[in-house]
């Protein structure tokens, strides 16, 4: 049956919107602390585990996902994410943080991994002439999922309790992802778009200097952004004195800028190239991180700088698929992208850990330094690419 490529995009967006709820995690911290007396540092481990297993799944199950096809891989994503959230409901009811780590972190993380890679791999195939824009639209939806979830978590918790909130989201997202998975499919192969898939060994990938440079670029760009996302609501309240309602809006707008940044910068990359795009938003983010300590006492300035940072953070994910595709080619794109996403896994632990090194806002200077290092990595990558031309 012939399928409409724009409905394929819609299906991919719905799946990404569902799994993007993980980025509203800071809204769970206060209820978990209030109801179960779990320390904020301990609860953040659940978030780090989820992102870690997202990246690991994307890296090591990407080939499997491509082999079984978008529908079956999407159904696997649905199963793991639903079980993860329903299991989280059981974990909080039992008061077991280790069960929470297993369900919310590991099981949901696997679901997130499949749910992340399947729409990206699939939709890009339907739009070979606009890979940056296509991946940007899909990955934008992941970010917007946090905006939606940030408005849902509070009311659900108030009306149903913590366990009820996890259960309701698990069932709701499960239904949405199920419908998406059943429609997703690869385009029919013709002589124009047919290509032979070439597998690389893990050693061939991780020893390639171009891959190392791409991995470092993504890792360094993610560290600061994911640190902010993991503690966004708390940062808003502690740094500039936001109320709980204002902090909720802060988290929601962060999700909006995460999504808009992905769409905007990925569209730019189709016009000026991935390398130039990366260097521009990394440079902007480095400056913003360096300015935050100076303007942290001004609520408007603090939020504006944060939103710019998050837009650039999201840009890294939206630009990376076409970046990898341009360097390694269509036939190796999926496999290399999967391994590149392990940088996300590593940053999910390193970023929040670095943020926790100090309660002073000056810790943001450290993230500025990391992005300056990223600029030098970008120059190294450019030199590697020039050698091959």
């Amino acid at each position: 049956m012939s399928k409409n490529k724009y409905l394929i995009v819609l299906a991919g967006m719905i799946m990404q919107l569902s799994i993007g709820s993980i980025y509203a995690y800071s809204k769970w911290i206060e209820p978990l602390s209030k109801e179960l007396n779990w320390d904020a540092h301990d609860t953040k481990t659940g978030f780090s585990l989820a992102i870690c297993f997202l990246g690991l799944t994307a890296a090591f199950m990407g080939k499997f996902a491509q082999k079984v096809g978008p529908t079956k891989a999407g159904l696997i994503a649905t199963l793991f994410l639903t079980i993860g959230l329903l299991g989280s409901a059981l974990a909080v009811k039992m008061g077991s943080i280790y069960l929470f780590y297993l369900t919310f972190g590991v099981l949901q993380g696997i679901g997130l991994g499949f749910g992340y890679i399947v729409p990206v791999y699939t939709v890009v195939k339907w739009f070979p002439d606009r890979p940056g824009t296509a991946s940007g639209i899909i990955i934008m939806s992941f970010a917007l999922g946090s905006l939606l979830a940030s408005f849902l978590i509070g009311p659900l918790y108030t009306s149903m309790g913590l366990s009820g909130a996890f259960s309701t989201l698990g069932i709701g997202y499960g239904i949405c992802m199920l419908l998406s998975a059943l429609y997703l499919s690869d385009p029919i192969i013709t002589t124009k778009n047919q290509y032979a898939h070439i597998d690389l060994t893990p050693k061939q990938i991780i020893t390639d200097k171009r891959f190392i440079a791409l991995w470092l670029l993504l890792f360094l760009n993610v560290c600061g952004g994911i640190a902010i996302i993991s503690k966004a609501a708390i940062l808003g309240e502690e740094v500039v004195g936001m109320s709980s309602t204002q902090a909720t809006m802060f988290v929601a707008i962060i999700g909006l800028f995460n999504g808009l940044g992905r769409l905007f910068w990925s569209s730019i990359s189709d016009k000026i190239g991935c390398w130039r795009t990366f260097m521009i938003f990394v440079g902007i983010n480095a400056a913003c991180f360096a300015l935050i300590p100076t303007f942290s006492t001004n609520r408007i300035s603090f939020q504006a700088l944060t939103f710019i940072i998050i837009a650039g953070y999201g840009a890294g994910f939206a630009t990376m698929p076409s970046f990898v595709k341009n360097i390694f080619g269509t036939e190796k794109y999926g496999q290399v992208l999967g391994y590149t996403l392990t940088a996300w896994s590593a940053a999910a632990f390193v970023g929040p850990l670095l943020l926790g090194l100090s309660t002073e806002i000056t810790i943001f200077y450290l993230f500025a330094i990391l992005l300056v290092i990223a600029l030098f990595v970008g120059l190294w990558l450019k030199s590697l690419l020039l050698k091959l031309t």
Side-chain angles (χ1 to χ4, degrees):
M1 180 182 71
S2 177
K3 294 187 177 181
N4 187 298
K5 66 179 182 179
Y6 296 104
L7 291 180
I8 292 288
V9 172
L10 180 61
M13 290 177 67
I14 291 173
M15 182 167 290
Q16 288 273 328
L17 194 72
S18 300
I19 66 173
S21 61
I22 186 65
Y23 268 13
Y25 183 74
S26 63
K27 294 301 298 177
W28 290 115
I29 294 178
E30 185 177 347
L32 288 168
S33 177
K34 180 179 178 181
E35 192 165 314
L36 299 171
N37 199 31
W38 288 353
D39 180 79
H41 175 74
D42 293 333
T43 56
K44 278 193 298 182
T45 302
F47 172 78
S48 295
L49 281 170
I51 300 299
C52 175
F53 276 86
L54 186 164
L56 292 175
T57 301
F60 297 105
M61 299 303 292
K63 181 180 176 181
F64 171 77
Q66 288 184 305
K67 181 179 180 180
V68 301
T71 295
K72 290 182 180 179
L75 291 174
I76 294 172
T78 304
L79 178 65
F80 273 93
L81 184 130
T82 304
I83 292 176
L85 287 175
L86 293 178
S88 300
L90 176 62
V92 299
K93 185 170 287 188
M94 295 175 60
S96 172
I97 195 168
Y98 295 106
L99 181 58
F100 183 75
Y101 289 162
L102 173 64
T103 54
F104 189 91
V106 178
L107 297 181
Q108 183 189 202
I110 295 172
L112 294 172
F114 276 105
Y116 187 87
I117 60 176
V118 170
V120 175
Y121 287 176
T122 304
V123 173
V124 167
K125 293 176 184 177
W126 287 84
F127 296 87
D129 55 330
R130 288 175 289 170
T133 302
S135 61
I137 290 173
I138 294 301
I139 297 174
M140 174 192 70
S141 304
F142 181 90
L144 295 181
S146 66
L147 188 152
L148 175 64
S150 66
F151 286 116
L152 292 175
I153 292 171
L156 287 175
Y157 168 63
T158 302
S159 60
M160 300 180 176
L162 200 50
S163 181
F166 277 117
S167 298
T168 302
L169 288 178
I171 294 170
Y173 287 138
I175 293 172
C176 291
M177 291 177 68
L178 174 64
L179 296 175
S180 297
L182 293 175
Y183 194 80
L184 284 173
S185 67
D186 288 326
I188 297 173
I189 296 176
T190 66
T191 55
K192 292 183 179 181
N193 63 14
Q194 186 175 13
Y195 61 86
H197 179 70
I198 300 175
D199 285 330
L200 300 173
T201 65
K203 183 179 180 181
Q204 286 175 316
I205 294 174
I206 64 176
T207 57
D208 190 307
K209 291 180 180 179
R210 296 169 300 169
F211 166 79
I212 294 172
L214 287 172
W215 193 97
L216 287 172
L217 274 178
L218 185 60
F219 171 77
L220 293 167
N221 188 60
V222 168
C223 278
I226 206 162
I228 291 175
I229 288 171
S230 71
K231 206 178 177 182
I234 296 174
L235 282 173
E237 294 174 8
E238 293 182 352
V239 174
V240 291
M242 294 181 185
S243 65
S244 179
T245 302
Q246 290 170 333
T248 296
M249 184 59 66
F250 180 52
V251 173
I253 298 176
I254 279 177
L256 177 62
F257 273 84
N258 193 352
L260 294 176
R262 293 170 188 233
L263 181 60
F264 172 77
W265 287 111
S266 63
S267 300
I268 293 297
S269 73
D270 280 341
K271 297 176 181 178
I272 68 173
C274 297
W275 183 84
R276 286 192 183 95
T277 304
F278 237 96
M279 295 296 281
I280 291 171
F281 66 69
V282 167
I284 292 173
N285 274 17
C288 288
F289 269 116
L291 289 171
I292 279 185
T294 302
F295 292 95
S296 62
T297 55
N298 185 297
R299 182 178 299 179
I300 295 176
S301 298
F302 173 80
Q303 291 183 83
L305 290 169
T306 301
F307 297 150
I308 294 171
I309 287 170
I310 294 301
Y313 162 83
F317 293 107
T319 309
M320 189 56 69
S322 56
F323 209 169
V324 171
K325 186 171 180 287
N326 291 343
I327 293 175
F328 289 92
T330 302
E331 68 279 3
K332 304 171 188 174
Y333 149 74
Q335 190 183 13
V336 177
L337 178 62
Y339 278 86
T340 306
L341 290 176
T342 58
W344 192 3
S345 300
F349 283 99
V350 175
L353 180 65
L354 292 177
L355 185 62
L357 292 177
S358 173
T359 57
E360 300 296 325
I361 196 66
T362 50
I363 193 65
F364 280 78
Y365 286 132
L366 176 58
F367 294 116
I369 293 171
L370 292 181
L371 289 176
V372 170
I373 295 173
L375 292 174
F376 283 102
V377 172
L379 293 173
W380 176 49
L381 176 60
K382 184 69 172 179
S383 69
L384 293 174
L385 297 179
L386 288 174
K387 289 179 181 178
L388 298 175
T389 58

